[in-house]
Amino acid sequence: MRNVEESNVGRPEEPVPGPRRTNTRAVELPVEPRPKQLNFLSRGVRQQSPPRAGEKEQDNELGPVGEGRSAQRGVPEENTIQVEEEPKPFNTPLEISDSQPSSHSCPEDHRPPSSLYCPPKNGDHTSLLPEATFPMQGLELNSMVEVDDPPIYGVIRWIGQTPESAEPIAGLEMEEEMSSGCTDGMYRGNRCFECGPNKALFVKLKSCRPDSRFSSLHGRVNQIQRCNSIAFQDYASKCVEENTPPAEGNEAIELLTGWKKGIQGHCNSCYLDATLFCMFACSSVLDTMLLRPSDKNDNDSYTVTRDLLRTEIVNPLRKNGYVCATKIMALRKILEAAGRSTGFTNEEKDPEEFLTNLFQVLRAEPLFYIRISKKKPQGCLFYQIFMERKLSVNMPSVQQLLEWSMVTGDLKFTEAPSCLIIQMPRNGKNFKMFPTIIPTVELNITDLLEDTPRQCCICQSLAEVECQECYEDVGITPGHIKQYCDICNAQVHLHKQRKGHQPRQLHFPKDISGQVMFQRQSMELFAVLCIETSHYVAFVRLNSQKRPLWVFFDSMADREGGENGFNIPRVTPCPEVSEYLEMTPEQLQKEDLKTMPTYVRRLFCDAYMCLYYSPDLSLYK
């Protein structure tokens, strides 16, 4: 099983160029005469600082660290800076230690994303180094590091060089505001990056070491802790308080499609990203779980989870078309803390496990109820198709699979659901009963409802019995539920091959006569969750008054940076999917799978869950 986070997975077979990258070159600057050196305390008391024993002369150009520390957690007070006529505000690189343990080396082709480099606006004093000159310490932009002992913690926001030092300088954004010795990202009058006041500290890059709080046994950064607002500030998404409906038509296309659209993936989150995108990006059928007021039976985690899901994930996705991975990590931590299952913050999970835990935390009602024979109805969140054997068709539709599964299991919906999630007969990436499945666009569930009048499949009058053995009879429209009136039932089962069948009596209200008006109950497909190997992606239908437009979503379509880089989500229009979904099953049976467009092939071969909604009931349930 491959690591989803460290590779580009779920990418279409026809490659599409990713976000454009640029290279940053070092700017050669004239070396000015070395100014005289003053040693002073940052509180304004100047004092000569003795050199360290065994310390190289060139290291002293950036100044040794004194013994004293400020009252607030911050940099050591005694530092050395280069001044000309008058000292400038303290923003000079600080050397913490020359004896740091070496870290793991980065491969030479491991390049941090160029879009995150922030060279100064003018190059009089500082310049950005090409990566080839960085010390091979396994550190890069956005690495979480510590300096000094006892340590203070921050994130590398800038790496560069000054004429005063032959060694690279790192600009750190510290976790806490320092009492002295820090800026807002300015270095010697040049803007290197932006952060809060008194939080930018410039040190020698060799003085930085990986944050020891989050190091694993192999010395890697803890990706759960790294998923925070500081490390992901360039990928942040905004909170949206007002309830936002899904966009429609051209607005939906402009809002949702492109790079850095959808939900950003991080640390094996694809199962959760794709499921949430299916549920909420273009449909409001499940919005009731976001709006239920809390009651006396709810604990604090309900309100926190509901508001997080609504204001930090669903509303921003619908209004701005993008959600940062930090918001998803916050939801994953809540599910992890709920204690019903572990591994939500870092392990690969199945969508059904996520749905189960989310509905439990939110205390949401089941999406539908199913009755087995005459037993008590059971509430369900999704329906898992179980098959005793394969059907006679090579490419079945969801309609056929659902009907056969419920007929053989003697199952019926107690009432028409407003939302129906159907899981295909497969076990993750390991087993598929059918190599291809046709997602039925309009799902007819009329014959799957209990106590509902049904038509005889032959004469269209009121049906009295249902025959399971006739389901695949090649002489009577195979692959469809067979129910008959009393007359047709007697005629059909006169055949010698059907005499052993045992039709079952149908139940419906006693006051119904043979002239009843039959009402067809149907549901529409609005999303398909797919899995290829161990990576989940999604196909979602945009809201449109015209021809439906389908889009393909991958939360990890591309990646910027290496191990401590960032996944780039992408939503891609795929109009060819609409063309194939409009074909009849008979037409699709004649199609060659190998010649199908990439997205169409992935939809038919990798379908894991199909999501349906009722246009008539979704507004009321």
Side-chain angles (χ1 to χ4, degrees):
M1 183 178 297
R2 50 129 187 83
N3 190 326
V4 176
E5 290 303 313
E6 299 179 9
S7 61
N8 296 333
V9 290
R11 188 188 301 276
E13 295 179 10
E14 300 171 358
V16 182
R20 185 177 181 181
R21 291 179 167 82
T22 58
N23 294 325
T24 308
R25 297 180 299 174
V27 181
E28 295 184 0
L29 301 175
V31 180
E32 298 179 358
R34 177 179 298 180
K36 61 183 179 180
Q37 189 178 59
L38 291 179
N39 299 323
F40 71 102
L41 293 175
S42 58
R43 295 180 183 271
V45 182
R46 301 191 180 186
Q47 172 182 321
Q48 183 66 31
S49 176
R52 290 183 182 178
E55 193 169 55
K56 297 181 180 180
E57 182 179 356
Q58 63 179 10
D59 293 339
N60 287 333
E61 294 178 10
L62 292 177
V65 176
E67 299 290 338
R69 298 182 61 86
S70 57
Q72 182 179 352
R73 284 186 62 82
V75 300
E77 287 192 348
E78 186 176 2
N79 303 285
T80 303
I81 65 170
Q82 305 287 342
V83 297
E84 297 177 2
E85 297 300 330
E86 296 181 359
K88 295 182 179 180
F90 184 88
N91 56 7
T92 304
L94 163 69
E95 180 185 356
I96 301 299
S97 174
D98 289 339
S99 58
Q100 305 297 345
S102 60
S103 303
H104 296 281
S105 298
C106 287
E108 292 183 344
D109 60 349
H110 181 125
R111 182 171 183 79
S114 57
S115 61
L116 299 184
Y117 282 102
C118 300
K121 296 181 179 179
N122 57 69
D124 293 340
H125 297 285
T126 61
S127 63
L128 188 68
L129 286 175
E131 187 188 4
T133 61
F134 291 175
M136 307 304 287
Q137 297 187 29
L139 301 178
E140 59 184 3
L141 290 179
N142 297 300
S143 292
M144 301 180 70
V145 297
E146 60 184 42
V147 293
D148 201 10
D149 189 17
I152 52 178
Y153 305 98
V155 177
I156 297 179
R157 292 299 184 198
W158 178 86
I159 300 175
Q161 191 172 31
T162 65
E164 294 85 356
S165 174
E167 301 182 43
I169 306 302
L172 310 182
E173 180 178 356
M174 308 308 294
E175 284 188 356
E176 302 176 0
E177 185 174 319
M178 300 297 152
S179 59
S180 62
C182 291
T183 70
D184 62 352
M186 294 289 291
Y187 176 71
R188 289 188 174 275
N190 297 283
R191 171 67 62 186
C192 297
F193 63 94
E194 296 184 358
C195 66
N198 299 320
K199 295 189 71 176
L201 175 65
F202 292 88
V203 302
K204 286 186 178 183
L205 182 59
K206 71 176 185 180
S207 300
C208 302
R209 56 188 182 272
D211 194 324
S212 59
R213 298 173 299 173
F214 311 132
S215 295
S216 67
L217 294 177
H218 301 287
R220 291 184 176 180
V221 173
N222 186 314
Q223 295 296 334
I224 301 173
Q225 299 295 339
R226 191 177 77 89
C227 191
N228 56 60
S229 58
I230 296 179
F232 280 71
Q233 68 172 3
D234 291 323
Y235 298 86
S237 56
K238 297 181 180 179
C239 174
V240 178
E241 292 288 345
E242 63 271 16
N243 295 327
T244 307
E248 299 183 358
N250 292 332
E251 180 186 359
I253 298 175
E254 296 177 2
L255 179 68
L256 277 176
T257 59
W259 288 100
K260 199 179 177 183
K261 293 294 185 178
I263 301 174
Q264 183 185 29
H266 178 73
C267 198
N268 297 322
S269 68
C270 61
Y271 73 95
L272 196 146
D273 307 326
T275 304
L276 287 173
F277 193 83
C278 285
M279 294 170 64
F280 297 110
C282 299
S283 174
S284 57
V285 67
L286 294 169
D287 281 11
T288 52
M289 62 192 303
L290 307 175
L291 304 174
R292 181 179 71 82
S294 59
D295 56 40
K296 61 180 181 180
N297 297 320
D298 293 318
N299 53 29
D300 294 338
S301 65
Y302 166 72
T303 304
V304 173
T305 308
R306 180 201 62 189
D307 293 345
L308 170 67
L309 187 61
R310 181 177 61 86
T311 64
E312 300 283 4
I313 297 176
V314 176
N315 288 341
L317 179 62
R318 293 174 176 177
K319 184 173 182 178
N320 304 318
Y322 170 73
V323 177
C324 178
T326 57
K327 313 301 182 181
I328 305 301
M329 181 58 74
L331 178 60
R332 298 169 75 180
K333 290 179 179 179
I334 290 177
L335 298 177
E336 180 92 4
R340 295 181 175 89
S341 179
T342 60
F344 272 104
T345 54
N346 62 336
E347 296 178 2
E348 294 179 347
K349 294 283 186 179
D350 294 324
E352 56 268 30
E353 188 173 358
F354 161 64
L355 287 172
T356 301
N357 279 269
L358 180 64
F359 272 69
Q360 287 177 348
V361 172
L362 293 176
R363 295 183 61 245
E365 292 291 327
L367 296 181
F368 56 90
Y369 286 86
I370 282 184
R371 189 190 303 275
I372 303 176
S373 186
K374 297 180 180 180
K375 297 181 180 180
K376 184 178 179 181
Q378 296 182 1
C380 304
L381 303 180
F382 55 90
Y383 181 79
Q384 166 75 66
I385 293 178
F386 290 102
M387 305 292 294
E388 295 181 358
R389 60 184 177 87
K390 287 190 176 183
L391 296 174
S392 57
V393 293
N394 294 325
M395 188 186 293
S397 65
V398 173
Q399 179 82 47
Q400 292 173 311
L401 294 175
L402 178 64
E403 288 181 353
W404 180 240
S405 177
M406 296 191 71
V407 166
T408 55
D410 194 17
L411 305 174
K412 287 291 187 290
F413 294 111
T414 59
E415 61 179 359
S418 60
C419 179
L420 178 60
I421 302 176
I422 304 175
Q423 185 175 345
M424 300 301 102
R426 62 178 299 170
N427 181 17
K429 64 178 182 178
N430 300 316
F431 169 76
K432 289 196 297 184
M433 181 169 286
F434 300 95
T436 55
I437 296 175
I438 303 172
T440 303
V441 176
E442 186 174 354
L443 191 69
N444 185 0
I445 62 170
T446 307
D447 296 338
L448 301 175
L449 300 174
E450 71 173 4
D451 300 337
T452 300
R454 295 156 60 180
Q455 286 181 306
C456 173
C457 62
I458 295 178
C459 68
Q460 311 303 313
S461 61
L462 182 64
E464 302 283 348
V465 297
E466 177 184 72
C467 184
Q468 175 181 330
E469 289 87 352
C470 286
Y471 185 80
E472 286 199 272
D473 194 314
V474 294
I476 321 174
T477 317
H480 293 277
I481 294 179
K482 305 301 189 302
Q483 59 265 346
Y484 310 104
C485 65
D486 289 336
I487 298 176
C488 293
N489 178 51
Q491 292 178 344
V492 166
H493 290 96
L494 285 175
H495 195 284
K496 61 181 181 180
Q497 294 182 352
R498 306 188 190 104
K499 286 185 177 181
H501 291 187
Q502 298 179 348
R504 292 178 293 185
Q505 195 72 29
L506 294 177
H507 301 278
F508 45 82
K510 297 180 180 179
D511 57 347
I512 291 181
S513 63
Q515 303 298 322
V516 65
M517 295 292 294
F518 298 101
Q519 184 177 3
R520 188 171 183 266
Q521 294 285 352
S522 61
M523 307 187 75
E524 296 183 7
L525 179 70
F526 70 90
V528 179
L529 184 65
C530 297
I531 180 174
E532 183 183 36
T533 61
S534 59
H535 183 58
Y536 289 92
V537 294
F539 288 89
V540 173
R541 190 187 72 180
L542 299 185
N543 294 320
S544 176
Q545 300 295 333
K546 301 179 181 179
R547 184 182 184 184
L549 174 63
W550 286 80
V551 295
F552 173 78
F553 164 65
D554 187 350
S555 64
M556 304 176 184
D558 200 3
R559 187 169 179 84
E560 287 189 339
E563 180 181 356
N564 294 326
F566 305 88
N567 289 308
I568 310 297
R570 188 187 189 194
V571 179
T572 307
C574 41
E576 64 272 23
V577 168
S578 300
E579 298 177 5
Y580 277 80
L581 288 178
E582 291 173 356
M583 295 182 181
T584 63
E586 292 75 20
Q587 290 174 322
L588 288 172
Q589 293 283 353
K590 300 176 182 178
E591 290 289 325
D592 184 4
L593 190 65
K594 296 180 180 179
T595 61
M596 287 183 178
T598 301
Y599 289 126
V600 176
R601 186 167 60 252
R602 294 194 67 176
L603 176 64
F604 287 173
C605 296
D606 300 336
Y608 186 80
M609 280 184 170
C610 292
L611 285 74
Y612 290 87
Y613 81 102
S614 171
D616 300 326
L617 300 176
S618 60
L619 297 178
Y620 305 101
K621 290 191 176 182

